[in-house]
Amino acid sequence: MNRIFIFLTIFVIFSILETFFQENPRTFSRKQRWPGNFAMAFSANLILRVIFPVGLAGYSHYLENNNFGLFNNFSIPAEFILSIVLLDFWIWFQHVLTHKFQPLWKLHRVHHSDVELDASSALRFHPIEIIFSILFKIILITLLGIKEDAILWFEAILNGMAIFNHANLYLPSSIERLLRKIVVTPQMHLIHHNQERKYSDTNYGFNLSLWDRLFKTYTDQKPADQVTGQKKFRSLEAQSLLALLKQPFAK
Ligand SMILES: [Zn+2]
């Protein structure tokens, strides 16, 4: 299984779909946003390969060989599904933290400063936020001893779902209503990307919509003014790779 190939295939499919079935009219062209978003994904990948060459799957092997964590010591029913669901809860929780603590928010705000959403927004994360996210996942993986296959499946689902729920994709409302009972839809996630904090502090989910419902952070209320992004970073200059990398350290 070549992860990059699967990721690119899903990306191309949704980029084509959002061209034909658009939810919101574009005010920026792809040419203005895509270079920065792609460059962010590329640089984050490069940095990760250097500082964390074994990846989470390699780390999980180490835990298994050394009988670390719950699943490596006890036989738990439905371990695979449980691992994926708990990882999903864990990154939901991490996402809440990145909105509540100022230093983490400055990193996560790079993702939120995209002036419009489409499939490429799923690529736009600051490398330091990705490192933080890996360290955060390591905590749960270590405690539970989550196995390699569950980690790989979770990462693949997360990548695919991130492309889906950032896509500027029209869905018939009957289908969308049904889908959001279980998963995070683009319409749900667009509210999270509103420039007003009152909206961006809702709908934190990536995969299952359950966590926001359970912890009362769910909203289906459409903002009156549907402006995506951050007021401070709306210029085109703010969308370049260098500006995005420097953004968390700006005053
Ligand atoms: Zn967020």
Side-chain angles (χ1 to χ4, degrees):
M1 184 165 87
N2 187 329
R3 283 173 68 188
I4 303 276
F5 178 75
I6 295 174
F7 181 81
L8 283 176
T9 308
I10 299 174
F11 182 82
V12 169
I13 291 172
F14 278 100
S15 301
I16 294 170
L17 281 175
E18 64 184 7
T19 307
F20 291 103
F21 306 100
Q22 203 174 67
E23 169 83 359
N24 298 303
R26 280 181 190 275
T27 41
F28 292 84
S29 70
R30 286 175 162 143
K31 228 171 38 194
Q32 289 170 317
R33 293 174 43 253
W34 279 30
N37 289 358
F38 267 94
M40 282 299 270
F42 186 75
S43 51
N45 244 297
L46 215 64
I47 293 169
L48 280 185
R49 268 163 213 262
V50 175
I51 66 156
F52 202 53
V54 295
L56 289 175
Y59 176 66
S60 140
H61 259 299
Y62 169 80
L63 295 176
E64 204 173 345
N65 292 336
N66 292 282
N67 294 323
F68 267 34
L70 188 74
F71 298 150
N72 288 321
N73 288 286
F74 300 95
S75 154
I76 310 276
E79 182 193 314
F80 178 77
I81 295 290
L82 197 63
S83 299
I84 288 182
V85 171
L86 289 175
L87 275 169
D88 190 43
F89 163 71
W90 196 243
I91 57 156
W92 173 88
F93 179 51
Q94 179 212 313
H95 191 185
V96 175
L97 295 180
T98 59
H99 277 247
K100 303 291 176 198
F101 292 101
Q102 193 60 12
L104 293 177
W105 168 244
K106 283 189 171 182
L107 293 170
H108 183 56
R109 191 175 55 184
V110 175
H111 174 64
H112 274 266
S113 65
D114 204 347
V115 286
E116 208 161 77
L117 284 196
D118 67 11
S120 79
S121 310
L123 303 170
R124 177 185 170 125
F125 284 95
H126 197 279
I128 302 176
E129 185 184 4
I130 297 183
I131 293 167
F132 168 73
S133 169
I134 289 187
L135 296 175
F136 200 77
K137 275 184 230 165
I138 281 179
I139 299 171
L140 188 76
I141 291 170
T142 309
L143 289 174
L144 296 181
I146 297 178
K147 302 278 178 7
E148 179 186 8
D149 59 344
I151 294 171
L152 291 176
W153 270 99
F154 175 74
E155 295 287 319
I157 294 168
L158 179 63
N159 285 340
M161 281 299 290
I163 295 172
F164 166 68
N165 58 40
H166 286 94
N168 181 7
L169 181 68
Y170 166 77
L171 293 170
S173 73
S174 54
I175 294 176
E176 197 270 328
R177 293 268 138 207
L178 205 67
L179 274 178
R180 71 158 70 196
K181 287 189 196 299
I182 305 163
V183 295
V184 177
T185 62
Q187 285 68 19
M188 245 182 100
H189 198 65
L190 183 65
I191 300 174
H192 179 75
H193 275 268
N194 194 273
Q195 65 172 355
E196 297 298 336
R197 193 130 203 189
K198 136 177 184 218
Y199 294 106
S200 65
D201 282 355
T202 64
N203 296 357
Y204 292 103
F206 290 105
N207 298 308
L208 296 171
S209 61
L210 168 76
W211 314 117
D212 284 306
R213 293 176 199 277
L214 205 61
F215 296 99
K216 309 272 182 267
T217 48
Y218 171 79
T219 186
D220 58 5
Q221 195 194 342
K222 263 194 181 177
D225 132 36
Q226 279 226 34
V227 184
T228 298
Q230 293 293 302
K231 285 171 193 154
K232 265 167 82 177
F233 305 102
R234 300 209 66 86
S235 70
L236 280 180
E237 296 77 60
Q239 312 304 319
S240 74
L241 174 67
L242 202 62
L244 292 173
L245 290 174
K246 280 175 14 190
Q247 198 205 90
F249 312 101
K251 277 211 167 174

